[in-house]
């Protein structure tokens, strides 16, 4: 599975000269800053700094871009934990328990846990990539549009079942999200739901909508509170506690391993990967836990599950990029551009002929994980001071920041207006127990679900029996049905057994 | 108290009916655009499911007798109104002045009476964030006082 000669060549390539490492530290810092500022995306950071890589050789360029990717992967969890703003769709599940932990005054621990889980995730993810790059690439090639469509529907129904109080409303939210995700031009070449507005032709901007649904709506709720953390004694920033949190992440070894495995394999699925991996890991952890009700109330295992999965999904998406030349998301799309700028084409040939470079990239990421620990521990205490800011100042500042960030994403006022509209939708949904995460996931994946269904229809020639010929699709459909009715089925069986006894 | 419960349940029903109607409208709009299967392959089945679930929820809500406590809405509405005004006036006031005014009014309405703090913080935050984003973004930002692009 591993070619030892290429492994040694990769090691030499990386460590024979110290120069490539000089650009790793600024890369991680750029990633951390862009990830930590709501609205600034990792892909945006990579795109802005992409021209710099023209002055680097391919290896240096890869080190620089993957360093931004690694830093940004953790950076996104900082606003998710402190402000309930998931910087990217891969940090959504981090908000579920990270933010409640912050409100309880356990922000230091939550940030430390996030850092620990992220670093371990990167190491596990790239270790698996080292071993499994060939099988993963073969597996991804076998996933057709039918499997993609069912994975998406599974993701949406899973998250809908998370809403807890009212599953019915959760599913309504998820499905309405799917419909909203299809607004604009369709694959069939017609426009739907735009009300004649040219700004909606490309659909509803998903990230600004997500910022509105999660962050702005939560800020409206916080208007009447004085501080994010009510108890003054809990508002302190403690490096000791951040380190304790970092160590605490290792007390959940199974959650870390499960999250990392989900991250690598689901993260390798182009487009869907990072958005679904963190949610899937969170849901599995919640299901397996003895006390599932504690999730969403500030359970550290929730943060570990999400962060382990989203940082390993980076390795998964890198596997798809390196082995197949298919970018899994915005960040890997920028990397593909860097490949092109250096006249390199990703794919089976690249893996076969430049194996030493692939191994060097993997080793570099191990190094980056350790550098992230040091830089994260220096950077987090500065950002954790957010809890000391009175809400009177924090609410309008974060609202403004989300408006600026949304403008940065769309390049016109469509972004800020989307934040405004979806903040109202999010606030209404929260007030009446509709699931905001389910709606957001639906919105993110609606267009892709429709595209996959159309491709399935075209491939099958309109014969629905085609689905029964796809074993993976059938397995995912069974899992989907189980996630919807499994809980009820198990409890019904249990009560029957008890009544017989 | 019973009055509050009725109001909340009524609002819940109104939200549900609104979602039902918006879903119907969207399905109709998609059907009007094209009745080809490729256009409706996701929209029609999902719409059907949403409508069924909304109908079920409607009857569940009507039969539900539990009391739900809710935060008062009065303090949130002015903030929402201020935020809407901020966003909708950005094209005239620009990000610099718009943000300064939004922050100042917000701080004043929420009890900050130290004028120096209100003006100083709003001015510093609006200037710094406007300069940062206009420098970082590759396209010009609407501004009233500061430069639109760097």
């Amino acid at each position: 599975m591993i070619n030892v000669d290429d492994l040694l060549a990769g090691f030499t390539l990386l460590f024979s000269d110290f120069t490539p490492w000089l650009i790793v530290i600024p890369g991680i810092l750029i990633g951390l800053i862009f990830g930590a500022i709501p609205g600034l995306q990792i892909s945006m950071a990579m795109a802005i700094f992409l021209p710099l890589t023209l002055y680097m050789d391919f290896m240096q360029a890869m080190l620089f871009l993957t360093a931004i990717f690694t830093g940004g992967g953790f950076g996104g969890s900082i606003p998710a934990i402190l402000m309930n703003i998931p910087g990217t769709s891969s940090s959504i599940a981090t908000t579920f328990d990270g933010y409640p932990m912050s409100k309880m005054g356990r922000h230091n621990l939550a940030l430390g846990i996030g850092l620990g889980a992220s670093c371990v995730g990167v190491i596990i993810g790239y270790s698996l990539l080292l071993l499994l790059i060939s099988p993963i690439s073969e597996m991804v090639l076998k996933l057709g549009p039918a499997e993609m469509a069912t994975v998406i529907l599974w993701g949406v129904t899973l998250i809908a079942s998370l809403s807890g109080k009212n599953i019915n409303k959760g599913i309504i939210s998820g499905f309405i999200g799917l419909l909203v995700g299809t607004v604009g031009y369709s694959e069939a070449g017609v426009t739907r739901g735009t009300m004649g507005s040219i700004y909606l032709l490309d659909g509803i901007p998903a990230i600004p909508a997500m910022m509105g649904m999660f962050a702005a709506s939560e800020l409206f709720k916080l208007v009447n509170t004085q501080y994010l953390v009510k108890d003054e004694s809990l508002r302190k920033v403690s490096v000791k506690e951040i380190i304790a949190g970092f160590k605490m992440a290792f007390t959940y070894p199974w959650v870390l391993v499960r999250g990392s495995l989900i991250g690598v394999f689901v993260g390798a699925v182009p487009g869907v990967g990072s958005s679904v991996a963190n949610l899937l890991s969170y849901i599995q952890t919640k299901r397996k836990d003895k006390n599932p009700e504690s999730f969403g109330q500030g359970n550290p295992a929730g943060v570990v599950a999400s962060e382990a999965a989203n940082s390993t999904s980076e390795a998964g998406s890198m596997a798809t990029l390196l082995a197949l030349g298919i970018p899994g998301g915005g960040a890997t799309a920028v990397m593909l551009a860097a490949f092109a700028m250096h006249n390199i084409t990703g794919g089976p040939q690249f893996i076969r002929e430049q194996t030493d470079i692939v191994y060097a990239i993997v080793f570099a990421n191990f190094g980056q994980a350790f550098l992230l620990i040091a830089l994260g521990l220096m950077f987090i205490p500065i950002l954790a001071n957010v809890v000391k800011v009175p809400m009177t100042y924090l609410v309008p500042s974060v609202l403004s920041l989300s408006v600026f960030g949304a403008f940065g994403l769309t390049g016109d006022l469509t972004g800020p207006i989307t934040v405004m509209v979806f903040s109202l939708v999010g606030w209404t949904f929260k007030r009446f127990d509709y699931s905001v995460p389910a709606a957001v996931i639906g919105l993110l994946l609606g267009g892709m679900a429709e595209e996959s269904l159309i491709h399935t229809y075209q491939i099958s020639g309109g014969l629905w029996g085609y689905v029964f010929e796809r074993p993976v699709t059938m397995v995912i459909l069974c899992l989907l049905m189980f996630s919807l009715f499994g809980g009820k089925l198990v409890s019904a069986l249990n009560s029957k057994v008890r009544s017989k006894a | 108290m019973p009055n509050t419960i009725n109001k909340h349940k009524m609002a819940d029903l109104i939200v549900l009916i609104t979602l039902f109607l918006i879903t119907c409208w969207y399905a109709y709009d998609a059907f009007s655009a094209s009745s080809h299967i490729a256009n409706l392959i996701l929209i029609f089945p999902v719409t059907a499911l949403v409508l069924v679930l909304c109908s079920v929820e409607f009857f569940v809500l009507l039969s539900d007798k539990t009391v739900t406590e809710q935060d008062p809405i009065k303090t949130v509405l002015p903030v929402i109104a201020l935020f809407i005004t901020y966003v909708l006036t950005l094209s005239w006031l620009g990000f610099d002045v718009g943000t300064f005014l939004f922050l100042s009014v917000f701080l004043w309405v929420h009890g900050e009476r130290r004028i120096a703090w209100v003006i100083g913080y709003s001015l510093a935050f609006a200037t710094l964030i406007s300069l940062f984003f206009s420098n970082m973004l590759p396209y010009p930002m609407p501004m009233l006082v500061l430069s639109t692009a760097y």
Side-chain angles (χ1 to χ4, degrees):
Chain A
M1 227 180 262
I2 295 177
N3 185 324
V4 180
D5 290 336
D6 286 327
L7 197 76
L8 290 172
F11 203 76
T12 316
L13 194 66
L14 202 60
F15 295 103
S16 58
D17 185 9
F18 191 69
T19 334
W21 289 96
L22 289 178
I23 40 102
V24 169
I25 292 173
I28 293 176
L29 278 176
I30 290 167
L32 273 172
I33 292 166
F34 272 74
I37 296 174
L40 294 187
Q41 302 288 301
I42 309 167
S43 51
M44 191 194 284
M46 288 165 78
I48 288 171
F49 290 96
L50 182 66
L52 275 185
T53 61
L54 270 177
Y55 305 99
M56 303 172 188
D57 61 36
F58 180 67
M59 190 63 230
Q60 274 184 318
M62 280 295 104
L63 283 187
F64 182 60
L65 293 175
T66 51
I68 297 179
F69 204 177
T70 306
F74 168 66
S77 69
I78 298 172
I81 289 168
L82 293 176
M83 293 177 239
N84 201 31
I85 304 177
T88 61
S89 56
S90 56
S91 309
I92 290 176
T94 310
T95 61
F96 298 165
D97 282 288
Y99 183 65
M101 280 184 82
S102 286
K103 287 212 284 194
M104 287 154 65
R106 303 179 76 196
H107 49 280
N108 295 302
L109 267 185
L111 289 165
I113 289 169
L115 180 65
S118 290
C119 294
V120 174
V122 170
I123 293 168
I124 296 178
Y126 277 94
S127 304
L128 288 171
L129 177 63
L130 191 71
L131 295 168
L132 302 172
I133 189 156
S134 307
I136 286 178
S137 56
E138 278 167 27
M139 184 194 82
V140 171
L141 273 181
K142 281 181 186 159
L143 291 181
E147 286 77 21
M148 297 282 270
T150 41
V151 164
I152 291 167
L153 289 176
W154 185 33
V156 174
T157 42
L158 268 177
I159 191 69
S161 68
L162 247 186
S163 55
K165 275 187 194 169
N166 191 331
I167 292 179
N168 202 10
K169 279 185 173 177
I171 299 170
I172 292 174
S173 318
F175 284 169
I176 285 181
L178 277 176
L179 290 176
V180 175
T182 62
V183 166
Y185 256 120
S186 74
E187 280 255 313
V190 292
T191 53
R192 297 84 48 98
T194 59
M195 293 170 281
S197 166
I198 54 162
Y199 298 106
L200 293 176
L201 286 179
D202 283 337
I204 287 167
I207 308 288
M210 185 175 87
M211 288 161 78
M213 294 276 275
F214 275 115
S217 62
E218 178 67 25
L219 290 167
F220 291 156
K221 273 180 74 183
L222 291 173
V223 164
N224 297 322
T225 48
Q226 282 192 307
Y227 286 92
L228 195 63
V229 179
K230 281 179 190 159
D231 190 342
E232 195 181 344
S233 61
L234 298 173
R235 261 178 246 146
K236 61 184 190 302
V237 174
S238 157
V239 179
K240 216 175 172 181
E241 270 190 52
I242 294 170
I243 294 170
F246 181 84
K247 287 179 188 164
M248 195 191 245
F250 297 91
T251 58
Y252 298 92
W254 289 114
V255 180
L256 275 173
V257 172
R258 187 172 47 232
S260 302
L261 288 173
I262 290 174
V264 168
F265 289 102
V266 181
V269 181
V272 186
S274 59
S275 312
V276 178
N278 70 107
L279 293 164
L280 212 55
S281 166
Y282 181 86
I283 292 159
Q284 288 306 322
T285 307
K286 185 182 171 182
R287 284 224 170 115
K288 301 269 176 191
D289 202 89
K290 284 177 192 162
N291 188 12
E293 292 80 24
S294 64
F295 281 75
Q297 315 290 325
N299 189 329
V303 181
V304 175
S306 170
E307 282 302 301
N310 72 19
S311 48
T312 33
S313 63
E314 177 194 326
S317 62
M318 282 299 286
T320 325
L321 178 74
L322 294 169
L324 304 172
I326 302 170
T332 37
V334 180
M335 265 190 225
L336 191 68
F339 272 50
M341 280 163 65
H342 290 85
N343 289 324
I344 286 172
T345 313
Q349 202 181 347
F350 175 72
I351 293 277
R352 224 176 15 251
E353 291 172 5
Q354 315 252 23
T355 322
D356 54 339
I357 291 187
V358 175
Y359 288 147
I361 292 173
V362 172
F363 285 134
N365 275 278
F366 291 148
Q368 284 169 16
F370 289 104
L371 281 171
L372 179 63
I373 297 172
L375 292 170
L377 287 175
M378 279 192 271
F379 197 65
I380 291 172
I382 302 165
L383 285 164
N385 283 301
V386 164
V387 291
K388 291 180 180 172
V389 181
M391 293 311 284
T392 318
Y393 284 80
L394 194 67
V395 169
S397 308
V398 180
L399 279 174
S400 304
L401 199 59
S402 61
V403 166
F404 275 83
F407 180 87
L409 291 164
T410 57
D412 55 29
L413 288 174
T414 318
I417 291 170
T418 308
V419 169
M420 181 194 85
V421 171
F422 279 87
S423 63
L424 297 177
V425 175
W427 179 74
T428 311
F429 269 32
K430 274 183 189 166
R431 197 168 171 84
F432 296 104
D433 291 331
Y434 289 88
S435 166
V436 170
V440 169
I441 290 297
L443 173 70
L444 284 170
L445 302 177
M448 206 183 291
E450 188 182 42
E451 206 175 289
S452 304
L453 279 176
I454 292 172
H455 291 169
T456 310
Y457 173 74
Q458 287 164 342
I459 292 168
S460 66
L463 300 168
W464 293 108
Y466 169 78
V467 174
F468 298 105
E469 295 165 18
R470 311 280 300 180
V472 179
T473 310
M474 289 307 296
V475 169
I476 300 169
L477 275 175
C478 290
L479 288 170
L480 191 154
M481 299 309 281
F482 187 76
S483 61
L484 274 178
F485 307 110
K488 281 182 183 167
L489 197 74
V490 170
S491 56
L493 282 173
N494 277 343
S495 60
K496 219 173 189 181
V497 169
R498 265 185 224 139
S499 63
K500 269 188 182 175
Chain B
M1 195 66 187
N3 199 22
T4 319
I5 300 160
N6 288 338
K7 268 185 185 173
H8 182 71
K9 187 162 276 182
M10 187 59 78
D12 204 348
L13 283 169
I14 289 170
V15 170
L16 190 71
I17 293 166
T18 310
L19 291 176
F20 185 95
L21 293 175
I22 289 173
T23 309
C24 288
W25 167 79
Y26 186 60
Y28 173 73
D29 193 59
F31 184 75
S32 312
S34 164
S35 58
H36 192 271
I37 194 160
N39 188 43
L40 305 170
I41 196 163
L42 178 79
I43 294 174
F44 262 31
V46 172
T47 299
L49 279 168
V50 171
L51 297 185
V52 168
L53 289 169
C54 281
S55 307
V56 170
E57 190 59 31
F58 184 82
F59 291 107
V60 170
L61 270 176
L62 280 183
S63 58
D64 186 21
K65 302 283 181 225
T66 52
V67 180
T68 325
E69 287 283 333
Q70 279 292 332
D71 296 331
I73 197 170
K74 278 178 193 167
T75 46
V76 182
L77 284 180
V79 177
I80 293 176
L82 183 62
F83 186 57
I84 292 173
T85 312
Y86 166 52
V87 173
L88 294 181
T89 55
L90 275 175
S91 55
W92 301 297
L93 292 173
F95 277 82
D96 48 359
V97 175
T99 306
F100 167 73
L101 289 175
F102 171 66
L103 287 165
S104 310
V105 174
F106 189 100
L107 291 174
W108 185 261
V109 168
H110 283 86
E112 181 58 82
R113 290 291 178 267
R114 293 169 293 179
I115 298 286
W117 269 97
V118 171
I119 294 176
Y121 179 77
S122 307
L123 193 64
F125 186 87
T127 309
L128 282 175
I129 195 173
S130 301
L131 285 174
F132 177 78
F133 274 88
S134 55
N135 269 293
M136 293 307 293
L137 299 177
Y139 20 78
M141 295 184 80
M143 299 277 191
L144 200 65
V145 179
L146 297 170
S147 173
T148 54
Y150 287 86

